[in-house]
Amino acid sequence: MQRSTDRILTTHTGSLPRPEDLTRSMFAKEEGVPVDGAALAARIEAAVAEVVGRQVEAGIDVVDDGEYSKPSYATYVKDRFHGFKGKSEPLQYRDLVDFPGMARRVFGDPGRARRKTPACTEPVSLRDPEAVRTDVANLRAAPARTRAREAFLTAASPGVISLFFKNEHYPSHEAYLFAIAEAMKHEYETVARAGFVLQIDCPDLGMGRHIQFADLGIEEFRTMARLHIEALDHALANVPPEQIRMHDLVLAARATAVSFEGANPRHAHEWRVFETVRVPDGKTIIPGVIDSTTNFIEHPLLVAERITRYARLVGRENVMAGTDCGFGTWVGQAAVDPDIVWAKLGSLAEGARLASRELW
């Protein structure tokens, strides 16, 4: 993970809106409709080149492939691993129980409705070792990548995989978790060997509280979260920490950089955590300074204000400006209009420039 010595760098969480034709092809694939594999692969390669260019044009320093090869940031593993052949069941969100109308809207989302989460009914093992190599090749081939400061690829954590895919095979959650961790080593290490930053998506360390472990008390949940981090660190044993960043706030893990929500109304106050929590030496925080769920375009001055607040608490060299979450966490997600996404990212870049003038 590169650090800037002269300005605040910008990045995002990984997923970006997909072109409409790619979305249609990915929907068809999820629904079991025959799809021309070669044609889909060629379209993904071209789309990755396009989206990298758009990120650079928007002023983003650390870019990625938009997660264009994946139906979602976590459920893609069903296509790359053996073991997931059971019945697909929707997740249960405990925090939506009191809001049935909102629950209907959430589960009626076209992308979420097509999301497949088959249970684990057999041993988990690698089935398609070439998939991540193709992701690497597509990002490496994108012409605009060389104009970016750095590039990253995302991968699901063992914990979030265990959240989406119910265990119906292993004798315990711990056994299931470490089996997934062992299987994910190939993907993690392939990305790192290619020279890219590896972003591990770990929302299980947050949203697992009201989904996977909704019946546990807070201390019991923290125990499970520690187990998830242990499994992740096991999977990352051969990946240099400086090439790892996480999407969640767990400073004890091996990752050098940690991304977390900081702009939406539920989390915007949490910058105060850093009044008492010290960021360990060598770590970078990537707070979300633009919201990924609304169509409001944050003013660059607000973005700059948020960035400077963190920088003054933890040190300007320890901060990179990011987004709360992805803008296309699964195919067909439409919380933010695609054109507005790029306007928001442009505002992020301009806010970072304004903050840099104030901080340097």
Tab-separated table of all heavy atoms in Angstrom, residues 76 80-81 126 129 132-133 136 140 153-156 180-200 231-241 243-244 254:
chain	number	residue	atom	x	y	z
A	76	TYR	N	-19.511	-14.674	-5.646
A	76	TYR	CA	-18.757	-15.175	-6.802
A	76	TYR	C	-18.030	-16.476	-6.490
A	76	TYR	O	-17.709	-17.252	-7.404
A	76	TYR	CB	-17.747	-14.125	-7.280
A	76	TYR	CG	-16.554	-13.942	-6.375
A	76	TYR	CD1	-15.371	-14.633	-6.613
A	76	TYR	CD2	-16.604	-13.089	-5.271
A	76	TYR	CE1	-14.268	-14.483	-5.783
A	76	TYR	CE2	-15.513	-12.928	-4.440
A	76	TYR	CZ	-14.347	-13.625	-4.694
A	76	TYR	OH	-13.263	-13.474	-3.852
A	80	ARG	N	-16.273	-20.529	-8.319
A	80	ARG	CA	-14.841	-20.799	-8.342
A	80	ARG	C	-14.427	-21.954	-7.438
A	80	ARG	O	-13.284	-22.400	-7.501
A	80	ARG	CB	-14.069	-19.532	-7.941
A	80	ARG	CG	-14.353	-18.346	-8.849
A	80	ARG	CD	-13.458	-17.153	-8.561
A	80	ARG	NE	-13.780	-16.024	-9.438
A	80	ARG	CZ	-13.055	-14.926	-9.539
A	80	ARG	NH1	-11.957	-14.792	-8.794
A	80	ARG	NH2	-13.416	-13.951	-10.361
A	81	PHE	N	-15.373	-22.431	-6.601
A	81	PHE	CA	-15.046	-23.465	-5.638
A	81	PHE	C	-16.025	-24.641	-5.716
A	81	PHE	O	-17.182	-24.475	-6.091
A	81	PHE	CB	-15.073	-22.901	-4.214
A	81	PHE	CG	-13.938	-21.974	-3.918
A	81	PHE	CD1	-14.014	-20.633	-4.247
A	81	PHE	CD2	-12.787	-22.441	-3.329
A	81	PHE	CE1	-12.968	-19.775	-3.981
A	81	PHE	CE2	-11.738	-21.590	-3.055
A	81	PHE	CZ	-11.829	-20.253	-3.391
A	126	LEU	N	-10.789	-25.558	-4.240
A	126	LEU	CA	-10.664	-24.741	-5.443
A	126	LEU	C	-11.099	-25.529	-6.674
A	126	LEU	O	-10.649	-26.656	-6.892
A	126	LEU	CB	-9.214	-24.272	-5.588
A	126	LEU	CG	-8.898	-23.343	-6.746
A	126	LEU	CD1	-9.651	-22.035	-6.615
A	126	LEU	CD2	-7.387	-23.087	-6.811
A	129	PRO	N	-8.979	-22.356	-10.777
A	129	PRO	CA	-7.817	-21.533	-10.427
A	129	PRO	C	-7.536	-20.415	-11.426
A	129	PRO	O	-6.831	-19.459	-11.117
A	129	PRO	CB	-6.666	-22.546	-10.400
A	129	PRO	CG	-7.115	-23.647	-11.311
A	129	PRO	CD	-8.592	-23.740	-11.125
A	132	VAL	N	-9.156	-16.076	-11.004
A	132	VAL	CA	-8.450	-14.930	-10.430
A	132	VAL	C	-7.295	-14.506	-11.328
A	132	VAL	O	-6.965	-13.310	-11.417
A	132	VAL	CB	-7.972	-15.239	-8.993
A	132	VAL	CG1	-6.929	-16.356	-8.973
A	132	VAL	CG2	-7.396	-13.978	-8.348
A	133	ARG	N	-6.675	-15.453	-12.029
A	133	ARG	CA	-5.613	-15.089	-12.960
A	133	ARG	C	-6.156	-14.227	-14.096
A	133	ARG	O	-5.479	-13.318	-14.584
A	133	ARG	CB	-4.944	-16.351	-13.502
A	133	ARG	CG	-4.182	-17.130	-12.440
A	133	ARG	CD	-3.615	-18.430	-12.991
A	133	ARG	NE	-2.994	-19.222	-11.933
A	133	ARG	CZ	-3.045	-20.540	-11.857
A	133	ARG	NH1	-3.688	-21.239	-12.795
A	133	ARG	NH2	-2.454	-21.191	-10.862
A	136	VAL	N	-6.603	-10.732	-12.760
A	136	VAL	CA	-5.291	-10.081	-12.741
A	136	VAL	C	-4.913	-9.605	-14.140
A	136	VAL	O	-4.477	-8.460	-14.343
A	136	VAL	CB	-4.223	-11.052	-12.189
A	136	VAL	CG1	-2.809	-10.554	-12.518
A	136	VAL	CG2	-4.392	-11.222	-10.677
A	140	ARG	N	-4.308	-5.768	-15.374
A	140	ARG	CA	-2.972	-5.433	-15.853
A	140	ARG	C	-3.019	-4.866	-17.277
A	140	ARG	O	-2.225	-3.998	-17.645
A	140	ARG	CB	-2.080	-6.673	-15.805
A	140	ARG	CG	-0.649	-6.437	-16.255
A	140	ARG	CD	0.190	-7.673	-16.053
A	140	ARG	NE	0.599	-7.830	-14.665
A	140	ARG	CZ	0.686	-8.987	-14.022
A	140	ARG	NH1	0.385	-10.113	-14.650
A	140	ARG	NH2	1.085	-9.027	-12.773
A	153	LEU	N	-7.245	-5.371	-6.255
A	153	LEU	CA	-8.316	-6.311	-6.560
A	153	LEU	C	-8.952	-6.754	-5.251
A	153	LEU	O	-8.258	-6.878	-4.228
A	153	LEU	CB	-7.781	-7.526	-7.323
A	153	LEU	CG	-7.458	-7.298	-8.801
A	153	LEU	CD1	-6.672	-8.483	-9.368
A	153	LEU	CD2	-8.740	-7.092	-9.611
A	154	THR	N	-10.244	-6.996	-5.280
A	154	THR	CA	-10.957	-7.371	-4.065
A	154	THR	C	-11.150	-8.886	-3.985
A	154	THR	O	-11.144	-9.581	-4.996
A	154	THR	CB	-12.341	-6.698	-4.019
A	154	THR	OG1	-13.137	-7.199	-5.096
A	154	THR	CG2	-12.220	-5.189	-4.145
A	155	ALA	N	-11.333	-9.367	-2.772
A	155	ALA	CA	-11.623	-10.784	-2.540
A	155	ALA	C	-12.438	-10.901	-1.256
A	155	ALA	O	-12.258	-10.122	-0.317
A	155	ALA	CB	-10.332	-11.590	-2.423
A	156	ALA	N	-13.318	-11.875	-1.217
A	156	ALA	CA	-14.155	-12.094	-0.038
A	156	ALA	C	-13.342	-12.702	1.095
A	156	ALA	O	-12.442	-13.515	0.870
A	156	ALA	CB	-15.325	-13.002	-0.385
A	180	ILE	N	-12.644	-22.752	4.466
A	180	ILE	CA	-12.762	-21.670	3.485
A	180	ILE	C	-11.442	-20.905	3.404
A	180	ILE	O	-10.961	-20.576	2.308
A	180	ILE	CB	-13.908	-20.713	3.862
A	180	ILE	CG1	-15.250	-21.434	3.851
A	180	ILE	CG2	-13.938	-19.525	2.905
A	180	ILE	CD1	-16.384	-20.604	4.448
A	181	ALA	N	-10.855	-20.620	4.562
A	181	ALA	CA	-9.590	-19.877	4.593
A	181	ALA	C	-8.513	-20.596	3.792
A	181	ALA	O	-7.754	-19.977	3.034
A	181	ALA	CB	-9.147	-19.677	6.039
A	182	GLU	N	-8.441	-21.900	3.947
A	182	GLU	CA	-7.434	-22.680	3.219
A	182	GLU	C	-7.690	-22.591	1.712
A	182	GLU	O	-6.752	-22.446	0.918
A	182	GLU	CB	-7.484	-24.131	3.689
A	182	GLU	CG	-6.279	-24.964	3.320
A	182	GLU	CD	-4.996	-24.491	3.976
A	182	GLU	OE1	-5.033	-23.977	5.114
A	182	GLU	OE2	-3.931	-24.630	3.332
A	183	ALA	N	-8.961	-22.671	1.317
A	183	ALA	CA	-9.299	-22.629	-0.105
A	183	ALA	C	-9.039	-21.255	-0.720
A	183	ALA	O	-8.702	-21.150	-1.909
A	183	ALA	CB	-10.763	-23.018	-0.300
A	184	MET	N	-9.174	-20.190	0.065
A	184	MET	CA	-9.007	-18.836	-0.455
A	184	MET	C	-7.549	-18.426	-0.616
A	184	MET	O	-7.261	-17.392	-1.231
A	184	MET	CB	-9.725	-17.830	0.451
A	184	MET	CG	-11.247	-17.882	0.375
A	184	MET	SD	-11.899	-17.529	-1.289
A	184	MET	CE	-11.450	-15.806	-1.491
A	185	LYS	N	-6.629	-19.203	-0.074
A	185	LYS	CA	-5.211	-18.830	-0.153
A	185	LYS	C	-4.763	-18.604	-1.590
A	185	LYS	O	-4.001	-17.675	-1.885
A	185	LYS	CB	-4.341	-19.914	0.493
A	185	LYS	CG	-4.335	-19.893	2.012
A	185	LYS	CD	-3.349	-20.920	2.552
A	185	LYS	CE	-3.235	-20.826	4.063
A	185	LYS	NZ	-2.214	-21.768	4.605
A	186	HIS	N	-5.230	-19.454	-2.505
A	186	HIS	CA	-4.816	-19.335	-3.908
A	186	HIS	C	-5.170	-17.952	-4.465
A	186	HIS	O	-4.338	-17.302	-5.100
A	186	HIS	CB	-5.487	-20.419	-4.748
A	186	HIS	CG	-5.348	-20.210	-6.223
A	186	HIS	ND1	-4.175	-20.450	-6.904
A	186	HIS	CD2	-6.243	-19.755	-7.161
A	186	HIS	CE1	-4.342	-20.154	-8.185
A	186	HIS	NE2	-5.579	-19.739	-8.361
A	187	GLU	N	-6.391	-17.509	-4.206
A	187	GLU	CA	-6.824	-16.215	-4.735
A	187	GLU	C	-6.028	-15.077	-4.116
A	187	GLU	O	-5.535	-14.193	-4.825
A	187	GLU	CB	-8.317	-16.017	-4.481
A	187	GLU	CG	-8.846	-14.712	-5.049
A	187	GLU	CD	-10.365	-14.721	-5.192
A	187	GLU	OE1	-10.942	-15.803	-5.375
A	187	GLU	OE2	-10.951	-13.637	-5.143
A	188	TYR	N	-5.899	-15.097	-2.802
A	188	TYR	CA	-5.167	-14.030	-2.127
A	188	TYR	C	-3.721	-13.942	-2.614
A	188	TYR	O	-3.205	-12.859	-2.913
A	188	TYR	CB	-5.172	-14.268	-0.613
A	188	TYR	CG	-6.525	-14.294	0.061
A	188	TYR	CD1	-6.670	-14.861	1.330
A	188	TYR	CD2	-7.665	-13.763	-0.538
A	188	TYR	CE1	-7.896	-14.895	1.976
A	188	TYR	CE2	-8.904	-13.790	0.097
A	188	TYR	CZ	-9.007	-14.365	1.353
A	188	TYR	OH	-10.215	-14.399	1.997
A	189	GLU	N	-3.077	-15.077	-2.666
A	189	GLU	CA	-1.658	-15.090	-3.024
A	189	GLU	C	-1.432	-14.765	-4.493
A	189	GLU	O	-0.423	-14.143	-4.855
A	189	GLU	CB	-1.048	-16.444	-2.658
A	189	GLU	CG	-1.015	-16.676	-1.148
A	189	GLU	CD	-0.590	-18.093	-0.756
A	189	GLU	OE1	-0.143	-18.846	-1.652
A	189	GLU	OE2	-0.727	-18.440	0.432
A	190	THR	N	-2.369	-15.147	-5.360
A	190	THR	CA	-2.246	-14.824	-6.781
A	190	THR	C	-2.293	-13.315	-7.002
A	190	THR	O	-1.503	-12.758	-7.775
A	190	THR	CB	-3.361	-15.512	-7.593
A	190	THR	OG1	-3.239	-16.932	-7.447
A	190	THR	CG2	-3.267	-15.151	-9.069
A	191	VAL	N	-3.204	-12.644	-6.329
A	191	VAL	CA	-3.301	-11.187	-6.451
A	191	VAL	C	-2.019	-10.523	-5.953
A	191	VAL	O	-1.469	-9.622	-6.594
A	191	VAL	CB	-4.518	-10.652	-5.673
A	191	VAL	CG1	-4.507	-9.129	-5.625
A	191	VAL	CG2	-5.813	-11.153	-6.303
A	192	ALA	N	-1.530	-10.975	-4.817
A	192	ALA	CA	-0.324	-10.373	-4.248
A	192	ALA	C	0.900	-10.608	-5.134
A	192	ALA	O	1.706	-9.697	-5.352
A	192	ALA	CB	-0.080	-10.931	-2.847
A	193	ARG	N	1.035	-11.829	-5.653
A	193	ARG	CA	2.181	-12.124	-6.521
A	193	ARG	C	2.165	-11.271	-7.784
A	193	ARG	O	3.216	-10.969	-8.360
A	193	ARG	CB	2.199	-13.606	-6.890
A	193	ARG	CG	2.745	-14.526	-5.809
A	193	ARG	CD	3.108	-15.891	-6.382
A	193	ARG	NE	1.969	-16.535	-7.029
A	193	ARG	CZ	1.110	-17.336	-6.399
A	193	ARG	NH1	1.267	-17.587	-5.107
A	193	ARG	NH2	0.102	-17.887	-7.059
A	194	ALA	N	0.977	-10.879	-8.215
A	194	ALA	CA	0.865	-10.047	-9.413
A	194	ALA	C	1.285	-8.606	-9.153
A	194	ALA	O	1.405	-7.814	-10.095
A	194	ALA	CB	-0.570	-10.081	-9.928
A	195	GLY	N	1.504	-8.269	-7.889
A	195	GLY	CA	1.950	-6.926	-7.552
A	195	GLY	C	0.832	-5.956	-7.228
A	195	GLY	O	1.084	-4.777	-6.996
A	196	PHE	N	-0.406	-6.453	-7.184
A	196	PHE	CA	-1.527	-5.586	-6.852
A	196	PHE	C	-1.790	-5.600	-5.351
A	196	PHE	O	-1.428	-6.551	-4.650
A	196	PHE	CB	-2.794	-6.043	-7.583
A	196	PHE	CG	-2.723	-5.894	-9.080
A	196	PHE	CD1	-3.036	-6.959	-9.905
A	196	PHE	CD2	-2.343	-4.700	-9.660
A	196	PHE	CE1	-2.979	-6.830	-11.290
A	196	PHE	CE2	-2.274	-4.557	-11.039
A	196	PHE	CZ	-2.592	-5.625	-11.856
A	197	VAL	N	-2.444	-4.547	-4.882
A	197	VAL	CA	-2.943	-4.534	-3.513
A	197	VAL	C	-4.137	-5.480	-3.446
A	197	VAL	O	-4.971	-5.512	-4.346
A	197	VAL	CB	-3.366	-3.119	-3.095
A	197	VAL	CG1	-4.089	-3.132	-1.754
A	197	VAL	CG2	-2.150	-2.205	-3.030
A	198	LEU	N	-4.210	-6.267	-2.393
A	198	LEU	CA	-5.322	-7.183	-2.161
A	198	LEU	C	-6.260	-6.553	-1.142
A	198	LEU	O	-5.865	-6.306	-0.005
A	198	LEU	CB	-4.804	-8.522	-1.634
A	198	LEU	CG	-5.849	-9.507	-1.109
A	198	LEU	CD1	-6.741	-10.003	-2.239
A	198	LEU	CD2	-5.183	-10.671	-0.398
A	199	GLN	N	-7.490	-6.274	-1.556
A	199	GLN	CA	-8.492	-5.791	-0.603
A	199	GLN	C	-9.365	-6.958	-0.164
A	199	GLN	O	-9.982	-7.627	-0.994
A	199	GLN	CB	-9.385	-4.713	-1.204
A	199	GLN	CG	-10.508	-4.312	-0.232
A	199	GLN	CD	-11.372	-3.201	-0.741
A	199	GLN	OE1	-10.901	-2.092	-0.945
A	199	GLN	NE2	-12.657	-3.471	-0.958
A	200	ILE	N	-9.416	-7.200	1.128
A	200	ILE	CA	-10.267	-8.237	1.688
A	200	ILE	C	-11.559	-7.603	2.178
A	200	ILE	O	-11.542	-6.704	3.015
A	200	ILE	CB	-9.569	-8.959	2.859
A	200	ILE	CG1	-8.219	-9.529	2.426
A	200	ILE	CG2	-10.470	-10.050	3.404
A	200	ILE	CD1	-8.307	-10.627	1.398
A	231	ALA	N	-8.988	-16.737	11.247
A	231	ALA	CA	-9.086	-17.493	9.997
A	231	ALA	C	-8.548	-16.682	8.837
A	231	ALA	O	-7.839	-17.211	7.956
A	231	ALA	CB	-10.532	-17.901	9.742
A	232	LEU	N	-8.858	-15.404	8.812
A	232	LEU	CA	-8.363	-14.541	7.745
A	232	LEU	C	-6.845	-14.439	7.785
A	232	LEU	O	-6.170	-14.566	6.757
A	232	LEU	CB	-8.995	-13.154	7.865
A	232	LEU	CG	-8.495	-12.120	6.858
A	232	LEU	CD1	-8.764	-12.568	5.430
A	232	LEU	CD2	-9.140	-10.763	7.131
A	233	ASP	N	-6.296	-14.218	8.968
A	233	ASP	CA	-4.838	-14.127	9.080
A	233	ASP	C	-4.167	-15.436	8.663
A	233	ASP	O	-3.083	-15.426	8.078
A	233	ASP	CB	-4.438	-13.756	10.515
A	233	ASP	CG	-4.643	-12.275	10.806
A	233	ASP	OD1	-4.870	-11.513	9.843
A	233	ASP	OD2	-4.574	-11.887	11.985
A	234	HIS	N	-4.815	-16.564	8.947
A	234	HIS	CA	-4.291	-17.859	8.500
A	234	HIS	C	-4.232	-17.910	6.977
A	234	HIS	O	-3.235	-18.337	6.386
A	234	HIS	CB	-5.179	-18.991	9.030
A	234	HIS	CG	-4.852	-20.338	8.469
A	234	HIS	ND1	-3.767	-21.084	8.906
A	234	HIS	CD2	-5.445	-21.086	7.497
A	234	HIS	CE1	-3.706	-22.218	8.226
A	234	HIS	NE2	-4.721	-22.248	7.365
A	235	ALA	N	-5.294	-17.434	6.331
A	235	ALA	CA	-5.339	-17.449	4.870
A	235	ALA	C	-4.338	-16.495	4.251
A	235	ALA	O	-3.869	-16.705	3.128
A	235	ALA	CB	-6.747	-17.101	4.400
A	236	LEU	N	-3.982	-15.438	4.987
A	236	LEU	CA	-3.086	-14.400	4.471
A	236	LEU	C	-1.638	-14.579	4.920
A	236	LEU	O	-0.817	-13.685	4.712
A	236	LEU	CB	-3.583	-13.021	4.929
A	236	LEU	CG	-4.919	-12.552	4.358
A	236	LEU	CD1	-5.383	-11.300	5.087
A	236	LEU	CD2	-4.802	-12.285	2.867
A	237	ALA	N	-1.330	-15.713	5.485
A	237	ALA	CA	-0.002	-15.915	6.074
A	237	ALA	C	1.132	-15.639	5.099
A	237	ALA	O	2.211	-15.170	5.498
A	237	ALA	CB	0.111	-17.334	6.626
A	238	ASN	N	0.933	-15.903	3.809
A	238	ASN	CA	1.997	-15.737	2.818
A	238	ASN	C	1.870	-14.453	2.006
A	238	ASN	O	2.581	-14.279	1.013
A	238	ASN	CB	2.008	-16.943	1.872
A	238	ASN	CG	2.340	-18.231	2.593
A	238	ASN	OD1	3.147	-18.271	3.513
A	238	ASN	ND2	1.679	-19.313	2.187
A	239	VAL	N	0.977	-13.556	2.426
A	239	VAL	CA	0.801	-12.281	1.728
A	239	VAL	C	1.410	-11.167	2.564
A	239	VAL	O	1.069	-11.022	3.742
A	239	VAL	CB	-0.696	-11.987	1.473
A	239	VAL	CG1	-0.863	-10.638	0.789
A	239	VAL	CG2	-1.320	-13.098	0.636
A	240	PRO	N	2.310	-10.371	2.002
A	240	PRO	CA	2.925	-9.278	2.770
A	240	PRO	C	1.868	-8.300	3.289
A	240	PRO	O	0.982	-7.892	2.518
A	240	PRO	CB	3.838	-8.599	1.738
A	240	PRO	CG	4.110	-9.644	0.711
A	240	PRO	CD	2.849	-10.459	0.631
A	241	PRO	N	1.906	-7.919	4.555
A	241	PRO	CA	0.894	-7.016	5.112
A	241	PRO	C	0.753	-5.713	4.344
A	241	PRO	O	-0.345	-5.166	4.245
A	241	PRO	CB	1.403	-6.772	6.539
A	241	PRO	CG	2.187	-7.995	6.866
A	241	PRO	CD	2.851	-8.394	5.583
A	243	GLN	N	0.670	-5.271	1.336
A	243	GLN	CA	-0.137	-5.445	0.135
A	243	GLN	C	-1.596	-5.775	0.451
A	243	GLN	O	-2.364	-6.117	-0.438
A	243	GLN	CB	0.429	-6.567	-0.743
A	243	GLN	CG	1.585	-6.131	-1.622
A	243	GLN	CD	2.024	-7.239	-2.559
A	243	GLN	OE1	2.993	-7.947	-2.287
A	243	GLN	NE2	1.317	-7.394	-3.661
A	244	ILE	N	-1.972	-5.638	1.725
A	244	ILE	CA	-3.329	-6.002	2.142
A	244	ILE	C	-4.060	-4.779	2.686
A	244	ILE	O	-3.506	-4.017	3.485
A	244	ILE	CB	-3.316	-7.064	3.251
A	244	ILE	CG1	-2.427	-8.245	2.881
A	244	ILE	CG2	-4.734	-7.533	3.559
A	244	ILE	CD1	-2.151	-9.180	4.047
A	254	ARG	N	-3.806	-8.421	10.006
A	254	ARG	CA	-2.537	-8.241	9.303
A	254	ARG	C	-2.545	-7.091	8.307
A	254	ARG	O	-1.496	-6.567	7.955
A	254	ARG	CB	-2.186	-9.533	8.542
A	254	ARG	CG	-1.586	-10.625	9.404
A	254	ARG	CD	-1.418	-11.902	8.607
A	254	ARG	NE	-0.694	-11.736	7.351
A	254	ARG	CZ	0.621	-11.677	7.223
A	254	ARG	NH1	1.381	-11.751	8.307
A	254	ARG	NH2	1.185	-11.545	6.035
